[in-house]
Amino acid sequence: VQLQAFGGGLVQAGGSLRLSCATSGIIFSDAVMGWYRQAPGKQRELVATITDGGRENYAEFVKGRFTISRDYAKRTVYLQMTNLKPDDTAVYYCNAHARRWGRSNRSTFWGQGTLVTVSS
């Protein structure tokens, strides 16, 4: 199983970035996908999730600014981030709650993280 997250970088406050997470080895069509983040010295926290049916869920601190989406053909989940703030600076991790091919039970998988730095 691989979750490859990319798209992070340095951006000024008010700017935008789009993160992508390409998956392999999981049954993407019925996976619950999510983005989490971890700022220096803080615990990892939920940013957004999207179900296999496309239902989205957001942390309060990103509502109205971030949008999660998924492309079933590309087996990829995205996080469009707009109006970024310095407090959004963190390593962003892709997460999947999914079945592996050939298995019936679900497990949780993590990507390697991509750093987002928002300057003031």
Side-chain angles (χ1 to χ4, degrees):
V1 174
Q2 283 193 323
L3 305 177
Q4 293 185 312
F6 52 95
L10 175 63
V11 63
Q12 288 188 330
S16 300
L17 281 175
R18 188 175 83 153
L19 305 182
S20 302
C21 175
T23 71
S24 61
I26 62 170
I27 302 176
F28 184 80
S29 60
D30 71 357
V32 177
M33 301 299 301
W35 288 96
Y36 288 70
R37 70 186 189 185
Q38 187 166 17
K42 295 187 178 181
Q43 289 188 329
R44 191 173 297 189
E45 59 185 359
L46 171 70
V47 175
T49 60
I50 186 166
T51 68
D52 55 332
R55 187 170 71 249
E56 302 163 31
N57 179 59
Y58 296 95
E60 283 295 326
F61 52 79
V62 303
K63 280 184 178 178
R65 300 189 297 125
F66 292 9
T67 303
I68 190 170
S69 61
R70 63 195 295 165
D71 185 322
Y72 291 92
K74 295 182 179 179
R75 304 168 56 82
T76 297
V77 64
Y78 303 97
L79 185 68
Q80 179 68 49
M81 305 185 293
T82 63
N83 191 21
L84 282 160
K85 305 175 182 180
D87 284 349
D88 295 318
T89 295
V91 177
Y92 284 72
Y93 295 92
C94 177
N95 168 278
H97 188 61
R99 294 182 293 138
R100 284 185 279 186
W101 290 103
R103 304 203 181 182
S104 59
N105 61 304
R106 288 178 180 267
S107 299
T108 298
F109 305 97
W110 292 94
Q112 83 284 8
T114 184
L115 177 63
V116 173
T117 303
V118 184
S119 63
S120 57

